[in-house]
Amino acid sequence: MTVVARTWDRLTLPGKALFILIPLLGVLTLGLVITIALFGQQILDILIFNLPIVRFVFSVTILMLIFVPMAFVIIYMEMKIIALMNLRIGPDRVGPWGTLLSTVHGLKVLMKEDFTPGKADAVVFTWAPVVVFSTAVLSALVLPFAPGLYGQDMNIGLLYFFAVGGMTVVGLLMGGWSSFNKYSLIGGLRSAAQIVSYEIPLTLSVVGLVILAGTMSLNEIVIQQSRTGWFTDWFMFRQPLGFLIFAIAATAEANRTPFDLTEADSEIVAGFATEYSGMRFGFFFFAEYINVFIISAITVVLFMGGWNAPFPSPHISWIVDPGSLGLWLVILIAIVPVVGTLALAAPFYLFRSKTRWWVALILGFVLFNVIAGGIFSLWAYINFDWVAGLFWFVGKAFALVFLFVWMRGTLPRVRIDQLMGFAWKWLLPAALLNLFVTAAAVLVIDAMKAAPK
Amino acid sequence: MALTGIWYVIGFAFAAGSFTFLTFGAAWLISHRNRGDMHKGMPYESGIDTYGDTHGRFGLSFYIYALLFVAFDIEVIFIYLWALVFRSLPDPITGFTSMLIFVAILLLGLGYAWRKGVLSWGGPGR
């Protein structure tokens, strides 16, 4: 019996139905494409008429869909980077360099039994991961990814972000309480105490920034950091203490090492997630990795210039209108990929006698795609504001994600009373100090500016 | 209908909720299930049978933090509004000193709690 047949036999009946449904969906997609080709103009008119609704649906879909690969990338990054830091090899079996491992993990979690313990409160038990995941999605709503690329630009964006982010604790507490497990309960209560305590320094550390910026809209804050175009405009350099406090408190808010007391596996099994399995467990950890990105993203927005490049970009215009090429465009599209693939495959085939012709062709094809993608990205980067913004934003955010992973690889977990004492005895007074020093400095500078007149 | 602010929040919450429940549904369709025996439904507490009442009385340090949190969190909202308008106040020095006094009163409360040992392991009175 082949592997495929054996796997097919192991599926439950609904599973088989679902695997039949997926090709059916493919056929439906083809039908959709044909429909768009035939009635495209009418559909476009209706869409433009309902533009606000279309924008809403579009932003929801994009945010939800971008989260899945993003969580997979962060999970893979964490596995691989910590492995390299521990002098291990890490994932290397599934896909090139093990890159597909987190995807396979996701599929595995999807197919695992989703079990509710006997005495658990089933309703609360099910809603807990939903609440945690929803708060993660909701806090991404105000993030400005690039110029014009955000869910919603609220004038209370910063306050909204903290308010929604603090709701995570409700979900964790729900999970901890409803599991009917002492470890879960301890984990849930710990998370409540921890998140609630670090909420205060987290929110207070950005008050100095709010004084400087005079606004709470995240878009406005990003724009304020682009006066001269150099990285010295970033609030990181005008609010160093605030940045430090914010980074520490944000790490604690996201339950990351060294502050991951809520799921300290050496003490309380897995904390609030002890009794969870299958997809409900999956959503807890999906949300956790999204939260890592969101925390990095909000740090980038507030302190590291958001979508602004660290240096002023030279004005290059490299505009190619594809329409002006005429018939040459068709020839270009038809011939360049074939010739390019062959040309790039030739060296592998000619100069390495071990390489078979089809391996060389695949290598050439991949290389051609990489080069073409690179050229296209460069063109898009130069011509579109939002592509450049997205590049810098995601680049900076992932640099911070790397920092989080680095911390996890380096720092040991703190003790719970040290954790709580640190928030109240050190971070809170430091945040207040930062706030009043900033306010006094603003007072003096404004007075000096007003004096000569 | 203007699709701004609150409608986006409601819509995002709804979308996130439906996404999770749809995924739960899909997982329920394709996942394995077996009944198991009585031990399957028991809470996992490091492999031994559970002892005592889980939702009974629970020794919990740091419960007074919740009270401190409420005081400081409401203060934070107030400070945010003050920070927003700080640069455009007609008399910024009065604004500065009044906020200083306001925070000093709150810090007095924190200092009292600190002195009482609320911020240490074991709670007050130790």
Side-chain angles (χ1 to χ4, degrees):
Chain A
M1 200 153 45
T2 59
V3 177
V4 176
R6 220 182 302 145
T7 319
W8 180 255
D9 272 359
R10 281 190 191 164
L11 286 173
T12 54
L13 191 67
K16 282 175 187 166
L18 208 70
F19 275 95
I20 293 166
L21 267 175
I22 289 168
L24 204 69
L25 279 174
V27 173
L28 284 177
T29 315
L30 196 71
L32 195 70
V33 170
I34 293 169
T35 315
I36 287 172
L38 290 180
F39 305 104
Q41 194 56 47
Q42 286 95 318
I43 295 171
L44 204 66
D45 286 345
I46 294 169
L47 289 184
I48 289 171
F49 185 70
N50 293 315
L51 200 60
I53 297 171
V54 171
R55 188 188 177 282
F56 169 74
V57 171
F58 191 70
S59 56
V60 168
T61 319
I62 290 289
L63 266 176
M64 295 287 219
L65 289 185
I66 209 76
F67 275 161
V68 179
M70 196 168 274
F72 285 163
V73 168
I74 296 174
I75 292 170
Y76 173 74
M77 263 176 79
E78 188 162 86
M79 286 191 293
K80 195 74 181 179
I81 292 169
I82 290 183
L84 294 175
M85 283 173 180
N86 293 351
L87 301 180
R88 290 184 283 117
I89 295 170
D92 68 338
R93 295 288 135 162
V94 194
W97 302 288
T99 38
L100 290 176
L101 186 61
S102 43
T103 317
V104 174
H105 269 299
L107 281 176
K108 180 197 74 177
V109 167
L110 192 69
M111 297 177 80
K112 286 267 180 185
E113 179 176 0
D114 195 354
F115 178 68
T116 312
K119 284 185 178 173
D121 185 340
V123 178
V124 182
F125 193 73
T126 309
W127 270 94
V130 179
V131 170
V132 174
F133 178 73
S134 305
T135 53
V137 171
L138 277 177
S139 42
L141 167 61
V142 286
L143 286 182
F145 287 92
L149 210 67
Y150 47 81
Q152 184 75 36
D153 182 21
M154 292 188 196
N155 53 359
I156 54 154
L158 196 53
L159 198 61
Y160 166 86
F161 182 87
F162 289 135
V164 170
M167 261 165 62
T168 312
V169 66
V170 177
L172 300 186
L173 208 51
M174 278 164 75
W177 178 260
S178 63
S179 297
F180 209 79
N181 181 326
K182 296 192 192 70
Y183 291 125
S184 300
L185 187 54
I186 295 174
L189 291 172
R190 271 188 184 185
S191 76
Q194 175 183 335
I195 293 179
V196 147
S197 292
Y198 277 86
E199 190 87 6
I200 306 288
L202 184 78
T203 41
L204 275 177
S205 63
V206 291
V207 173
L209 192 149
V210 173
I211 292 176
L212 286 177
T215 176
M216 284 201 283
S217 152
L218 295 178
N219 277 42
E220 281 296 315
I221 288 174
V222 172
I223 290 166
Q224 294 236 348
Q225 299 179 66
S226 63
R227 289 247 173 73
T228 60
W230 286 93
F231 61 89
T232 42
D233 279 343
W234 297 354
F235 279 125
M236 197 172 138
F237 298 104
R238 282 191 271 172
Q239 289 277 308
L241 183 61
F243 174 63
L244 197 67
I245 297 166
F246 187 85
I248 294 170
T251 315
E253 282 280 300
N255 287 332
R256 296 287 300 174
T257 340
F259 305 117
D260 63 342
L261 271 295
T262 59
E263 55 210 49
D265 26 11
S266 56
E267 300 167 18
I268 47 171
V269 191
F272 59 86
T274 306
E275 291 293 337
Y276 278 90
S277 60
M279 210 51 222
R280 282 181 281 193
F281 176 82
F283 265 103
F284 266 128
F285 280 81
F286 189 24
E288 182 183 321
Y289 284 101
I290 293 170
N291 269 327
V292 172
F293 176 77
I294 287 173
I295 286 289
S296 312
I298 196 77
T299 316
V300 167
V301 166
L302 292 177
F303 290 99
M304 294 171 71
W307 66 64
N308 298 310
F311 44 81
S313 55
H315 290 284
I316 311 169
S317 57
W318 183 22
I319 301 162
V320 180
D321 181 18
S324 65
L325 293 172
L327 197 63
W328 284 104
L329 185 70
V330 180
I331 295 167
L332 214 66
I333 289 173
I335 288 178
V336 167
V338 179
V339 174
T341 306
L342 285 176
L344 288 166
F348 288 104
Y349 185 60
L350 292 178
F351 299 121
R352 290 180 63 194
S353 52
K354 274 184 188 169
T355 317
R356 302 227 185 90
W357 63 271
W358 56 271
V359 175
L361 268 185
I362 290 173
L363 279 173
F365 184 67
V366 169
L367 262 180
F368 174 78
N369 273 301
V370 167
I371 292 171
I375 292 172
F376 180 75
S377 309
L378 197 66
W379 174 77
Y381 180 89
I382 289 170
N383 280 317
F384 297 105
D385 239 7
W386 65 269
V387 175
L390 199 65
F391 171 76
W392 284 111
F393 183 85
V394 172
K396 284 185 241 178
F398 267 89
L400 279 180
V401 169
F402 175 75
L403 199 72
F404 276 119
V405 175
W406 191 359
M407 280 199 294
R408 181 167 174 173
T410 309
L411 298 173
R413 192 176 287 135
V414 298
R415 218 169 58 203
I416 181 113
D417 60 323
Q418 293 170 337
L419 171 90
M420 305 298 286
F422 187 59
W424 289 97
K425 292 175 185 169
W426 292 96
L427 289 185
L428 174 60
L432 286 173
L433 182 76
N434 177 54
L435 152 65
F436 283 112
V437 167
T438 311
V442 164
L443 212 63
V444 170
I445 290 170
D446 281 3
M448 272 163 65
K449 272 184 189 161
K453 280 175 194 170
Chain B
M1 185 177 67
L3 260 174
T4 49
I6 191 68
W7 287 108
Y8 263 75
V9 178
I10 293 169
F12 265 63
F14 182 74
S18 37
F19 177 68
T20 32
F21 277 114
L22 280 178
T23 319
F24 289 165
W28 184 78
L29 283 180
I30 62 174
S31 61
H32 302 255
R33 276 183 296 280
N34 67 345
R35 191 167 294 163
D37 58 2
M38 62 161 286
H39 291 286
K40 192 175 178 182
M42 287 181 73
Y44 175 74
E45 292 174 355
S46 300
I48 54 168
D49 284 1
T50 180
Y51 179 78
D53 187 10
T54 302
H55 290 175
R57 298 186 65 185
F58 220 83
L60 180 63
S61 303
F62 302 123
Y63 65 96
I64 295 185
Y65 278 4
L67 294 175
L68 279 176
F69 166 74
V70 171
F72 273 92
D73 214 31
I74 290 172
E75 171 216 26
V76 163
I77 296 173
F78 187 62
I79 289 184
Y80 263 82
L81 299 180
W82 168 81
L84 265 184
V85 296
F86 179 68
R87 289 188 107 160
S88 51
L89 285 178
D91 185 5
I93 295 177
T94 315
F96 182 74
T97 41
S98 48
M99 182 47 76
L100 208 60
I101 293 165
F102 173 70
V103 172
I105 294 170
L106 270 159
L107 278 182
L108 218 61
L110 182 69
Y112 176 73
W114 196 335
R115 183 89 178 78
K116 277 286 191 183
V118 172
L119 306 187
S120 321
W121 183 256
R126 216 171 286 180

